[in-house]
Every structure is written in C-alpha cells, then in structure tokens.
Amino acid sequence: MWRRASLRSRVLLLAVALLATGLTAFSLAAGNALRDYMESRVDSQLGSAAQVFALVSPAVAQNRVEHMPTANMTEFSTGVLGNPILTYVSADGAVEKSIDSLAGGNRKSSTRGPALPRLDTAAVAAHGGRPFTVSSTQGDTRWRVIAIPRVSASSLSGATATRPASSDSVVVSTSLAQVDSTVGRMWRIYRSTGFALLTILAVAGWFAVRSGLRPLSRIEQTAAEIASGDLSCRIPELSGPKTELGRLTAALNGMLRQLETAFAARAESEARMSRFVADASHELRTPLAGIKGLTDLYSMGALADQGEIDAAMDRIARESERLTRLVNDMLQLARLDEHALRATGKPAGLGRPNSPVGLDLDLAPADLRTLAADALHDVRALDPTRTVTLTGPAGDGPPASAPALADESRLRQVVTNLVGNAVTHTHPGTSIRIGVGTIADHAVLEVADDGPGLTAEQSTRIFERFYRADTSRTRATGGSGLGLAIAHSLVTAHAGHITVDSAPGRGATFRIALPRLTDQHPPADSPEGVVLQG
C-alpha cells in the first residue's frame, strides 16, 4: 500500500508522523519532568513532617491534630505536612498508632490510607530515610511514604542513656492524588491540543506539499506530451536555478534539447540515406542499362558488321569506365562516412600521421602554391582558349606562400575536381582565376570563374551528394554529383573547410581553407604572378 501511494501522500504522512512523534516525545518529557518536580516537593514535605513527628510521642501528635482549629489544621497539614497520615510502628513492625490529619486524628473513621509493607527496624534501616511509593488500601491512588526512626527525649538532652520508646519508628504517608491529577490533566490538554495541532498542520501541509510538488506535476505533463511525439516541449522554470527542482528542470530541458537534436539528425540522416540510395540506383542503372542494351543487340545478331560491333564494344568500355568511377566515388564516400562516424568530432592536432577522422592520409608539410600552379596548367590543357590568372586570395596582389600540413595527392584530387567543374560549367573562353595565399591563420586556395554563377539555393546544396546545379543528366554537363561531396569530405578530413561564394551573373568562387603551418617556408621555385593567355 505504501508503494502504491503517491509522493504527495507519502510526504504528507511522513511529515504528520514526524510531528506526532515530536509532540509525543515532548509531552512525555514534559509530563515526566512535571511529575518528578511535584514528587520532589512531596518528598521534601514528607521529610520535614517526618523530622517533626519523630520528636513527639503518638499521644502528643494526636492531641495536636484533634485540638487544632480546622482552618489552622488545614493550613498546617496542607502547606507544611501535605495532609499526611502518621503511623507509629514498633521495632518488630507492628502498627501502634495511626493518625489521619484530614480525619481529625481518627484514623479508624478514615477510608483512605496506604497499603504499607511490614516496617520493622531492619526494613526502616534498609530504606535509609528515602521516600518510596506504595499503593492504596482502596482504589488506585498512589502514596508516597517515608519511614525514619524516632528520636527519644534523652537523645535530645544529650544524655548517654536512652529512654525506652513505646514505638521505634514513625511512618509519614501522603497521597499522590494531586500529583497524578495534575499530570493527568496535563496529558489531557496535550492530547486535545496535540490532536488539534496535528489536524491543522496536516491540512496546511496538504496545501503546502501540493504547491511544492506542482513543478513535478508540470514535469509529468511535459513528459506525457513528449511521449506523444512532441519533442519541442520544454519544462517551464517554476523554481530558482539553485534549487533541486530548478537544477532538475535545467537538466531535463538540456536532455530534451539533445533528444530533439538527435531525432532531427536521425530523421535527416534517414532522409539523406533514402535520397542517396535512390540517386545511386539511378546513376548505376544508367550505364548498366546501356551495357545491357548493347549486349542484347549483339546476342540477337543485330550488329551485322565488324564496324558496328567495334562501336558497340567501345560504347560498353566507356560505360564500364563510367560505372567504375561512380562505384569508386561511392566507396570513397562510404569510407569517409565510416571514419567520420568513429571520430570524436574534434580535429586532431597537426603533425599526427593520420587525419582527424582516421583516414589513411600521408600528411606532410606542403605549399598550396604548388597545387595552384599545377591547376593553372590543368586549365590550360583542358581548354587552351581560356585566360587563366594566378593571384593572391580574393584577387589581391600576387600569389603568396600557403603552407599547410596535408596529403598532397588528396588535395590535388580536390583541386582537379574544382578546375574540371569550372571548365565544364562555363562557356568556352570564360576566364578563370586561381588564388593562393594566407588569410589570418589559414592557408587558402581559390578557383574562381566568370561563368553564370549559382543561386542562393544552389550554393547551399552544392556539396550535397548527387546534387547537380545543372538539372540535366547528360554526361557532358550533369556528371554524377559526387565530386564536390568528395571534395568537401577530403577538405574536412584535413581539419579545413571548403566554401562557395556565388551569385547569378557574377560567377562562382570555390575556396579551400586549411590550418596554416606557421613553421613552413615556401619553396624557392614557387611561381608568382603567372598569367596564361589562350
């Protein structure tokens, strides 16, 4: 039952139980302290009375009680003696005389009295003049009793001989009814006030606990909304940031942000994978369909002469090469994805033998100016009619040294791809600029053209896999759409980044930026200010 109870009920019941325990403990301590105090006063009165009556004989004591005025007797017995009962006993414990101060000295007419044990000389000596408690002869009243030896007159006068006494001990008893009544009344007050206080505190505690746990109820509602699929929900900050609920709210909201980001990334990854599979299937199907069609023609005997057969074989060879390049590009991207997934997301330090994502890169000090010069010659070889200019970054000044730690063969693949795109997607004779140098802490290499340029959407998606800014899928202009994706992954593997700056009608500038190697010196034979005219 306790396990099935709500947290609100548990906290309230625990608080009420602790309050009840505290009030009970306080009542016990206070009641016992009051009882001890009142009994100590009774014991003090008993001791004083016993010392007085130990000096007088039973006859004198009875005569004093019988002839004392009622008012004086009550004042004397209550204020000083505490309404005692006097009992004179002999040496063997036999009762010789019993006097009740409230009954006017007539003990036989009194119905009250203690149930005294046998108090012979040995028993009185054993008590040592210390008060003790006994029960009543009638009812459940308790009595406080003290027994001491009587003092003879000769002892008082200093004589060495003792006078034989008619009784050897005097026993003074007084009722504890007033003490028990006072303590009982206190207990009744404690019970009534304690129950009322617990009731009031329980009601107030219910509202206090309900108000204090309201943030947990809000967290519960938010969790239910998240479970229904709404990951954008957040828990409102209902408490201070340094409180337990405030820290819990901050932690849960942080977890929710991570979950939302993770699910969004997962959905995006699944969508990209679906697009990748669809685009890859299409790209693979195109050359395969051409190869299959030609082989079907040959098997059906539709290729009559040797010339047609040779043309068909040449076409099959080209499609096979295209298919091989496409498969190699896809495998390279798959390896890049695999290693990137294993990476921590933080680039490794320069000088390590492997790339930040674990690729098998042969990193060594290199100057991007060498790659820029080779790219210039590549453009010249691809289209001798173009004007190619080698400048500094952004066309400012002559080319400058751009030292970096890189795998030159991999970066050469990236630059070759950028140069090929610039030649392919611009009209013949369009000028191309290759810039190289340093900007801040980066070594920079640019390939810029004066072609038709890209729209904002095309610039955003240009590095996506299988994306073509030219929507046609012809071999001349369409390509496979993997070149720039591979270039982006390879540059990222070098802890760098590649960007495009373009607008319709003002060409496109692709920029590679790698961490600059500060202790690298430029080669002495690096070309500067080279301009080739077509």
Side-chain angles (χ1 to χ4, degrees):
M1 179 178 180
W2 177 256
R3 293 181 178 180
R4 293 193 297 269
S6 64
L7 180 60
R8 183 184 295 108
S9 300
R10 291 186 184 184
V11 172
L12 182 62
L13 290 176
L14 182 60
V16 171
L18 291 176
L19 286 172
T21 303
L23 288 175
T24 303
F26 172 77
S27 300
L28 287 174
N32 291 331
L34 179 62
R35 185 186 299 276
D36 292 341
Y37 171 73
M38 297 187 70
E39 286 184 356
S40 67
R41 292 192 61 187
V42 171
D43 292 344
S44 177
Q45 291 176 349
L46 281 177
S48 300
Q51 293 295 329
V52 172
F53 288 111
L55 300 177
V56 300
S57 64
V60 174
Q62 184 172 7
N63 182 65
R64 178 66 177 171
V65 171
E66 289 177 350
H67 294 86
M68 183 179 288
T70 303
N72 295 337
M73 179 184 67
T74 303
E75 180 182 355
F76 176 78
S77 62
T78 302
V80 178
L81 303 180
N83 298 327
I85 292 179
L86 308 178
T87 305
Y88 290 89
V89 295
S90 62
D92 59 357
V95 177
E96 292 186 351
K97 189 70 174 178
S98 182
I99 303 172
D100 188 348
S101 62
L102 288 181
N106 187 2
R107 175 73 177 85
K108 295 182 179 179
S109 64
S110 175
T111 58
R112 70 183 189 130
L116 295 175
R118 187 174 185 83
L119 295 173
D120 54 15
T121 302
V124 172
H127 285 291
R130 293 183 299 273
F132 58 95
T133 303
V134 298
S135 61
S136 178
T137 56
Q138 294 182 358
D140 56 357
T141 303
R142 298 183 309 124
W143 290 78
R144 195 68 171 167
V145 178
I146 187 172
I148 61 174
R150 289 186 58 215
V151 180
S152 64
S154 59
S155 299
L156 294 174
S157 63
T160 58
T162 59
R163 179 183 59 83
S166 59
S167 59
D168 290 332
S169 301
V170 60
V171 180
V172 182
S173 307
T174 186
S175 173
L176 293 177
Q178 185 177 3
V179 174
D180 293 339
S181 175
T182 302
V183 174
R185 184 167 59 255
M186 185 205 71
W187 278 112
R188 289 191 297 272
I189 294 174
Y190 276 164
R191 281 195 299 267
S192 59
T193 56
F195 179 78
L197 180 62
L198 281 178
T199 303
I200 295 173
L201 291 178
V203 174
W206 171 261
F207 290 101
V209 170
R210 182 180 180 183
S211 175
L213 296 182
R214 186 174 292 113
L216 292 181
S217 301
R218 189 67 186 89
I219 293 175
E220 179 185 359
Q221 296 175 3
T222 304
E225 294 175 0
I226 294 171
S228 64
D230 187 4
L231 296 178
S232 62
C233 290
R234 295 293 182 269
I235 301 172
E237 297 181 359
L238 302 177
S239 301
K242 294 184 178 180
T243 63
E244 291 81 358
L245 286 175
R247 292 193 297 268
L248 176 61
T249 299
L252 289 177
N253 284 335
M255 181 187 68
L256 291 175
R257 283 191 294 271
Q258 293 183 356
L259 286 176
E260 185 178 13
T261 302
F263 275 95
R266 176 183 174 184
E268 181 182 359
S269 176
E270 290 177 352
R272 290 181 60 185
M273 181 59 67
S274 298
R275 292 195 304 268
F276 180 82
V277 171
D279 291 338
S281 300
H282 178 85
E283 294 295 334
L284 292 173
R285 183 177 58 184
T286 301
L288 287 175
I291 294 173
K292 185 177 184 303
L294 293 173
T295 55
D296 288 344
L297 289 176
Y298 179 78
S299 62
M300 290 186 300
L303 302 178
D305 53 30
Q306 188 61 36
E308 293 179 347
I309 294 175
D310 292 340
M313 291 300 103
D314 183 63
R315 175 73 179 280
I316 290 174
R318 290 196 304 271
E319 294 295 339
S320 298
E321 291 176 359
R322 180 188 176 197
L323 186 60
T324 301
R325 288 194 303 271
L326 181 60
V327 171
N328 289 336
D329 289 345
M330 292 170 59
L331 289 175
Q332 186 175 10
L333 283 173
R335 286 195 297 269
L336 288 168
D337 288 344
E338 179 182 0
H339 291 297
L341 184 62
R342 296 176 183 174
T344 61
K346 295 181 179 180
L350 296 178
R352 293 190 179 182
N354 295 326
S355 73
V357 293
L359 288 176
D360 187 15
L361 297 181
D362 185 13
L363 297 179
D367 195 331
L368 300 188
R369 217 169 17 169
T370 302
L371 297 180
D374 293 341
L376 183 145
H377 295 294
D378 289 341
V379 175
R380 183 66 179 86
L382 291 173
D383 188 355
T385 64
R386 294 178 183 267
T387 299
V388 186
T389 306
L390 189 61
T391 68
D396 297 332
S401 175
L405 191 68
D407 185 336
E408 187 172 337
S409 62
R410 297 281 189 173
L411 286 184
R412 192 179 298 278
Q413 178 183 354
V414 175
V415 176
T416 301
N417 182 278
L418 296 180
V419 169
N421 283 344
V423 173
T424 302
H425 296 287
T426 59
H427 299 293
T430 302
S431 62
I432 294 177
R433 181 183 61 83
I434 300 175
V436 64
T438 57
I439 298 178
D441 295 332
H442 290 85
V444 176
L445 189 149
E446 297 175 341
V447 177
D449 62 65
D450 294 331
L454 301 170
T455 64
E457 181 184 0
Q458 291 172 340
S459 298
T460 303
R461 302 184 57 191
I462 195 66
F463 296 107
E464 293 183 7
R465 298 171 187 185
F466 295 108
Y467 177 76
R468 295 185 180 88
D470 186 348
T471 55
S472 67
R473 289 189 176 267
T474 65
R475 295 179 180 85
T477 59
S480 65
L482 295 178
L484 289 178
I486 294 174
H488 182 276
S489 298
L490 288 175
V491 173
T492 303
H494 284 78
H497 55 272
I498 180 172
T499 58
V500 60
D501 180 17
S502 180
R506 65 175 182 89
T509 300
F510 287 85
R511 174 177 294 172
I512 301 170
L514 302 180
R516 180 182 178 183
L517 188 60
T518 55
D519 58 350
Q520 174 68 14
H521 299 286
D525 57 349
S526 296
E528 295 187 7
V530 179
V531 178
L532 295 184
Q533 295 288 342

